[in-house]
Amino acid sequence: RGLLEPCLLALLENGADYGLSLAHRLSGAGLEEVPGGSLYPALTRLERRGLVTTAIRPSTSGPARKYYELTDTGRTELAARRTEWRTFSTAVGTLIEGRKVRTEAPS
């Protein structure tokens, strides 16, 4: 859950998309299959927080689909999450790769 929401925001950065397509794109990026019971609640949380908007659009291959689109607030959140991710991944990389760790206490 902690990483699903920023991943969804990143996938929506370049345009609107619908749930099943987002699930396929997550899988295509190398993540495990995300069940609908996790995906759709995450999208709902993003919508409630004003990070995405939704619109129902017709489909050429079945029923209409609910599309999710990033808002300006969502873009700001994505930028913040990217900064947090860089800090976190650098710290974990330092530990996992066995690089030298600072020994002085932070001030």
Side-chain angles (χ1 to χ4, degrees), residues 32-62:
E32 293 179 10
E33 183 176 331
V34 178
S38 297
L39 178 70
Y40 291 102
L43 288 166
T44 298
R45 286 190 298 274
L46 294 174
E47 183 179 11
R48 284 187 187 144
R49 292 176 54 206
L51 305 179
V52 300
T53 58
T54 61
I56 303 297
R57 297 184 188 172
S59 169
T60 59
S61 62

Side-chain angles (χ1 to χ4, degrees), residues 17-40:
D17 206 351
Y18 61 97
L20 185 58
S21 174
L22 290 166
H24 287 260
R25 291 171 65 197
L26 288 166
S27 179
L31 300 178
E32 293 179 10
E33 183 176 331
V34 178
S38 297
L39 178 70
Y40 291 102

Side-chain angles (χ1 to χ4, degrees), residues 15-104:
D17 206 351
Y18 61 97
L20 185 58
S21 174
L22 290 166
H24 287 260
R25 291 171 65 197
L26 288 166
S27 179
L31 300 178
E32 293 179 10
E33 183 176 331
V34 178
S38 297
L39 178 70
Y40 291 102
L43 288 166
T44 298
R45 286 190 298 274
L46 294 174
E47 183 179 11
R48 284 187 187 144
R49 292 176 54 206
L51 305 179
V52 300
T53 58
T54 61
I56 303 297
R57 297 184 188 172
S59 169
T60 59
S61 62
R65 294 180 174 148
K66 186 175 189 177
Y67 276 76
Y68 300 85
E69 187 168 10
L70 211 54
T71 63
D72 288 340
T73 304
R75 290 181 192 288
T76 301
E77 177 72 12
L78 176 57
R81 292 292 195 98
R82 282 182 169 150
T83 298
E84 290 172 6
W85 174 254
R86 286 183 195 106
T87 301
F88 175 77
S89 63
T90 297
V92 171
T94 295
L95 296 171
I96 298 292
E97 299 297 328
R99 295 188 294 253
K100 186 174 179 180
V101 178
R102 285 191 329 213
T103 54
E104 69 273 0

